[in-house]
Amino acid sequence: MAEIDPFEETNRVVYEFNETIDDNLLEPVSRAYKDNMPNFVQDRVSNFFGNLRDVTTLANQILQFKVEQSAITLGRIAVNSTVGLYGLFDVATEIDLTTTNEDFGQTLALWGVNEGPYIVLPLMGPSTLRDSAGLYVDLSSDANLINEMEDMGALSASTMNLIDKRVELLPVTDLIDQSDDPYITMRSSYLQKREFDIFDGNPPVTEDDEF
C-alpha cells in the first residue's frame, strides 16, 4: 500500500491525535446532542445545513457541466429557502427534488486531476492530496455561505454543522472501532467512498472486481 499511503507513519500519528480529540470531545458531545436533543430540533438543524451544502453542490455541478442536476439543485435551494423557511424544512425532497452532494475534490477528479497520496489532516480526518485542495476551495469559496455570517454567527454555525455531521458518522464510528486496525479500515472506507462519489455511484469495474 506504499503507493497509496506513502506517508503512513506520519498519517498514523495524525490519526491518533484526531482520535484523542474525537474520543474526548467531539464524540461525547455528538452523542449527548443525539440522545438529548429532540428529534424535531435535530431535523431542523440537519435540514438547514443541508440547504447551505446544496449551494456548494450547485457551484460544483455547474463546474462539472451537470446541467440537469444543476437545475434540480437550484430548484431545491429555491423551494427550501422560501417554502422551507430558510432550509429548516426539506420541502424539496417531499416533491422529489433530490440531489447528491458534490464538492470541489470531485470536480478536480472530473477535470482529470490525480488523487495523489492518501493523507490524514489534523482535525479534518482522512483525505487525499486532491481532496485536500478541494476542501480548501470549498471552505474558502463564496458558495460556503457560513463565511458570509458575522464572526460569532460563523463560529456558532460552524460548530453546529460539525456536531450535525459528527452525529451522521456515529454508526460508521462504531463499525471502525470494532475492526482489528481502525486506521486501515478508515483509509479503505474513505477511498472506496470517494471513488463511489466521483463516479456518481457507478465506479468502473477493475480486473480485481471481476474475480
Side-chain angles (χ1 to χ4, degrees):
M1 289 294 178
E3 67 280 4
I4 296 175
D5 192 0
F7 310 121
E8 181 173 348
E9 185 175 348
T10 301
N11 282 338
R12 282 185 178 273
V13 173
V14 178
Y15 172 79
E16 291 300 330
F17 168 78
N18 289 347
E19 283 296 287
T20 299
I21 299 296
D22 187 67
D23 290 345
N24 291 282
L25 179 61
L26 295 180
E27 184 176 347
V29 170
S30 298
R31 290 193 184 277
Y33 172 81
K34 178 178 175 56
D35 293 340
N36 297 290
M37 189 66 68
N39 289 335
F40 178 84
V41 175
Q42 293 185 46
D43 289 344
R44 301 292 75 75
V45 171
S46 294
N47 290 342
F48 176 78
F49 287 110
N51 192 48
L52 296 186
R53 283 192 292 273
D54 280 349
V55 177
T56 297
T57 288
L58 174 61
N60 281 291
Q61 287 173 334
I62 292 172
L63 292 173
Q64 295 174 30
F65 307 107
K66 294 182 175 180
V67 178
E68 181 179 350
Q69 294 93 325
S70 299
I72 292 172
T73 302
L74 180 60
R76 277 184 58 82
I77 296 169
V79 169
N80 285 340
S81 297
T82 53
V83 181
L85 302 178
Y86 298 100
L88 293 177
F89 296 87
D90 188 3
V91 180
T93 295
E94 296 177 7
I95 59 174
D96 294 327
L97 284 175
T98 60
T99 191
T100 55
N101 292 334
E102 299 279 355
D103 55 58
F104 198 67
Q106 292 167 256
T107 300
L108 289 174
L110 185 68
W111 290 353
V113 178
N114 291 329
E115 67 179 359
Y118 175 78
I119 54 179
V120 180
L121 300 174
L123 302 180
M124 305 299 291
S127 187
T128 61
L129 186 60
R130 179 181 63 203
D131 286 345
S132 298
L135 178 63
Y136 173 79
V137 171
D138 284 331
L139 290 177
S140 59
S141 168
D142 290 340
N144 181 9
L145 297 185
I146 292 179
N147 291 340
E148 304 302 315
M149 300 179 182
E150 298 294 332
D151 291 343
M152 286 305 298
L155 179 60
S156 299
S158 296
T159 300
M160 286 305 304
N161 187 31
L162 177 62
I163 293 173
D164 179 59
K165 294 300 293 181
R166 187 63 186 83
V167 168
E168 288 184 19
L169 294 173
L170 287 176
V172 179
T173 301
D174 294 336
L175 290 174
I176 290 177
D177 288 344
Q178 293 171 12
S179 65
D180 294 333
D181 188 338
Y183 173 84
I184 296 296
T185 302
M186 178 173 286
R187 182 183 68 190
S188 177
S189 299
Y190 177 81
L191 294 175
Q192 289 180 36
K193 176 66 164 57
R194 289 304 288 169
E195 183 179 39
F196 184 89
D197 291 342
I198 288 166
F199 289 97
D200 295 328
N202 295 293
V205 176
T206 65
E207 291 184 1
D208 291 338
D209 295 328
E210 295 175 346
F211 294 97

